[in-house]
Structure formats: C-alpha cells, structure tokens
Amino acid sequence: MQIMASEDYRVLGIGVITFSGNNYSETQQEFSFKFMGIVSKT
C-alpha cells in the first residue's frame, strides 16, 4: 500500500460493520470495523 501511495495511486481502505438497532454512535470511530481490503486507482 505504501508503494502504491508513493507512486501517486489513490488508495482507499474498505471496512464493514454489523449493526442492528436504533442506538447509533456519535461518531463512526466508535464502531468496530472489519478490514476487507484496499482498492486503488491511478
């Protein structure tokens, strides 16, 4: 990932959460994300 970023690729990490209910967190950082991978574009 560092090589792609250093060569001016746009790098985006993809994560998902499992959530049910209506009691949403104040910020997205309070969720536990599962890392799924990365995508990049030149």
Side-chain angles (χ1 to χ4, degrees):
M1 185 164 48
Q2 290 177 342
I3 293 170
M4 289 189 290
S6 69
E7 293 180 3
D8 295 328
Y9 284 74
R10 295 182 187 268
V11 180
L12 179 65
I14 305 298
V16 296
I17 63 165
T18 301
F19 179 80
S20 62
N22 295 325
N23 190 16
Y24 296 102
S25 297
E26 291 286 324
T27 65
Q28 68 183 14
Q29 288 80 4
E30 295 178 38
F31 289 110
S32 294
F33 287 85
K34 178 181 177 186
F35 178 72
M36 300 301 290
I38 60 171
V39 293
S40 67
K41 181 171 173 60
T42 56

